[in-house]
Amino acid sequence: MLVGWGHAAAVGVSDPEPLLMADVNGRPFLAHMVELLRNEGFTRLLMLVGHASAAAREYFGGGEARGIRIAYASGMESLPPAAQALAARSILDDHFLLLHADTYWPMRFETMWQEYAESGALAMTAVYSNRDGYAVDTVKVSGGLVELFDPTGQSSVHGSGVGYSIVRRDALNLMLSQDGTVESALFPALIERRALAAYPTEHRFYGVNTPERLARTRVFLSRGAAVILDCDGVLNPKPSPPAYARSVAEFEWLPGALEALRVFRGAGYRVIVVCPVRGQVSVGDLEGIHDLMRRGAHAAGGGIDAIYQCPHDWYAGCECRKPRPGLLFQAQRDFALDLTRTVVLGADENTMRAAAAAGAIGRFVTPDLPLVTQAREILLLRSSA
């Protein structure tokens, strides 16, 4: 378990502790967690990681070299996480972030904090929708509140707890026991009081509590560079609404678009394209347009790794039509993207709203800032970082 406060955080875990220091792309998994918290503005971190404390202390020390102050729960290594958190409450701020040390979720903390503050709840926990059956369903959400928490996964619920929660320190006094995890001891009491808010997410989380998940996490944290491109106004001229290119004959490349794809491919970027078609294009014509785009990109020295489309009408209420971010999350799942580090390039406000809803980085493409100019700027920013 990790606890962060002032912007501060606390981390703890009850799963196989040696995996916390497992090598993930050249450094321990916990180092990725510490980096995440520091980048989100946390200044203090309390590690409640049981018998992994000695190895963590040896590697991180007091955190001075990592830009965050790190403390350890000395003498409590054998206690359950709930007991450790209760014993440490005197050094926590009035509100703190509690997260599992074995789970990486690329959060946008400020957004979660704003929703927590507005909710008035004693705690808020991140809940993955789990529409894809990726994890075990442990949480039922209704009306923005957690209605049921079953860590065994035996109940009929639809949602998976991520293991990241903002907690008011006073709420720790409500824990029903000091056995097991903080969630199992605290959440039932909060649910009874209707005081546990849910923070929904469609972004997958990653962990190291099994060798299989560790392998998947290594892929995710390798963070292969990727960009997501809208079509209209980015790759092809933006037509007058409500029209779209409906056939190969109607499709044309914007000046510099193919050069931008070559620039991205030369820098090792995945290029993912999302296109709305509003039900106006036949399947055959759509496949023809996509084939034309792929062949054109390849001939120019670039490439397109995937094309996602929303075939629904504007009023269908689907999750894949911008400003909803459904297609961005589909790409995240398929390519193990970290959307918080992925640039989405579009030519309209709805694309920017979809990017923001996904926690991604939105950038406008305009006649004055065409795709090829944006591509070179993105590569320059990446090299300077």
Side-chain angles (χ1 to χ4, degrees):
M1 181 171 54
L2 301 175
V3 184
W5 72 101
H7 257 17
V11 187
V13 68
S14 57
D15 290 307
E17 293 157 350
L19 289 177
L20 298 180
M21 299 302 290
D23 180 88
V24 175
N25 307 331
R27 51 192 179 134
F29 174 74
L30 264 182
H32 294 276
M33 297 288 290
V34 171
E35 179 184 65
L36 169 67
L37 293 168
R38 184 200 64 209
N39 290 345
E40 286 300 304
F42 286 87
T43 59
R44 289 180 289 160
L45 170 64
L46 173 62
M47 287 195 181
L48 306 172
V49 291
H51 296 293
S53 293
R57 189 192 299 271
E58 182 178 354
Y59 185 86
F60 296 106
E64 295 84 358
R66 302 176 188 279
I68 185 170
R69 289 166 52 196
I70 301 176
Y72 305 86
S74 300
M76 295 192 292
E77 291 82 1
S78 61
L79 295 178
Q84 292 186 50
L86 197 60
R89 63 184 167 180
S90 63
I91 65 171
L92 300 176
D93 281 354
D94 290 341
H95 307 271
F96 61 92
L97 177 69
L98 178 75
L99 58 151
H100 287 188
D102 60 354
T103 301
Y104 190 104
W105 174 57
M107 63 178 171
R108 292 289 194 188
F109 179 73
E110 286 296 341
T111 304
M112 187 175 177
W113 170 261
Q114 289 171 9
E115 294 204 15
Y116 164 71
E118 292 170 3
S119 74
L122 293 175
M124 172 175 278
T125 190
V127 179
Y128 180 62
S129 70
N130 208 33
R131 302 176 202 268
D132 54 349
Y134 171 72
V136 177
D137 286 310
T138 58
V139 177
K140 180 181 179 181
V141 177
S142 178
L145 295 174
V146 175
E147 206 171 70
L148 179 66
F149 173 68
D150 178 10
T152 69
Q154 301 301 308
S155 301
S156 179
V157 297
H158 301 286
S160 182
V162 173
Y164 282 49
S165 304
I166 301 174
V167 181
R168 201 168 92 182
R169 182 178 60 179
D170 293 349
L172 295 177
N173 298 326
L174 301 175
M175 287 200 296
L176 301 177
S177 76
Q178 297 186 34
D179 295 326
T181 67
V182 175
E183 290 93 334
S184 62
L186 176 61
F187 282 7
L190 294 178
I191 291 169
E192 184 179 356
R193 290 165 173 79
R194 298 183 57 79
L196 179 58
Y199 182 78
T201 180
E202 298 283 345
H203 199 303
R204 280 185 174 177
F205 55 96
Y206 297 82
V208 295
N209 59 340
T210 68
E212 294 76 16
R213 290 185 179 180
L214 175 59
R216 196 157 41 198
T217 298
R218 285 184 172 128
V219 173
F220 173 73
L221 288 175
S222 66
R223 291 199 175 96
V227 291
I228 299 177
L229 312 178
D230 199 357
C231 288
D232 297 335
V234 178
L235 295 175
N236 57 279
K238 191 173 181 64
S240 299
Y244 296 93
R246 291 170 292 185
S247 68
V248 168
E250 293 183 5
F251 182 87
E252 61 177 305
W253 294 99
L254 276 172
L258 288 171
E259 171 64 11
L261 297 182
R262 187 193 67 77
V263 168
F264 281 129
R265 178 50 54 94
Y269 273 70
R270 288 189 185 276
V271 174
I272 298 164
V273 175
V274 294
C275 296
V277 293
R278 193 184 280 186
Q280 297 182 2
V281 185
S282 70
V283 173
D285 284 334
L286 188 62
E287 290 176 350
I289 294 171
H290 291 176
D291 183 61
L292 174 69
M293 293 170 67
R294 290 190 177 95
R295 287 189 289 106
H298 179 74
I304 296 175
D305 294 275
I307 301 176
Y308 297 92
Q309 69 276 338
C310 169
H312 307 108
D313 188 79
W314 185 268
Y315 301 105
C318 63
E319 292 297 321
C320 52
R321 174 163 293 281
K322 59 184 183 180
R324 293 180 176 175
L327 292 183
L328 305 185
F329 285 120
Q330 185 177 344
Q332 190 281 312
R333 293 188 292 268
D334 291 346
F335 290 95
L337 302 178
D338 182 343
L339 287 179
T340 66
R341 300 181 181 221
T342 300
V343 176
V344 177
L345 291 140
D348 57 52
E349 286 288 349
N350 278 342
T351 303
M352 297 301 104
R353 292 192 190 104
I361 305 161
R363 290 177 70 108
F364 264 113
V365 173
T366 67
D368 294 330
L369 278 175
L371 182 60
V372 66
T373 301
Q374 290 278 22
R376 289 172 178 145
E377 286 189 4
I378 289 168
L379 264 59
L380 184 62
L381 288 171
R382 187 186 182 203
S383 63
S384 64

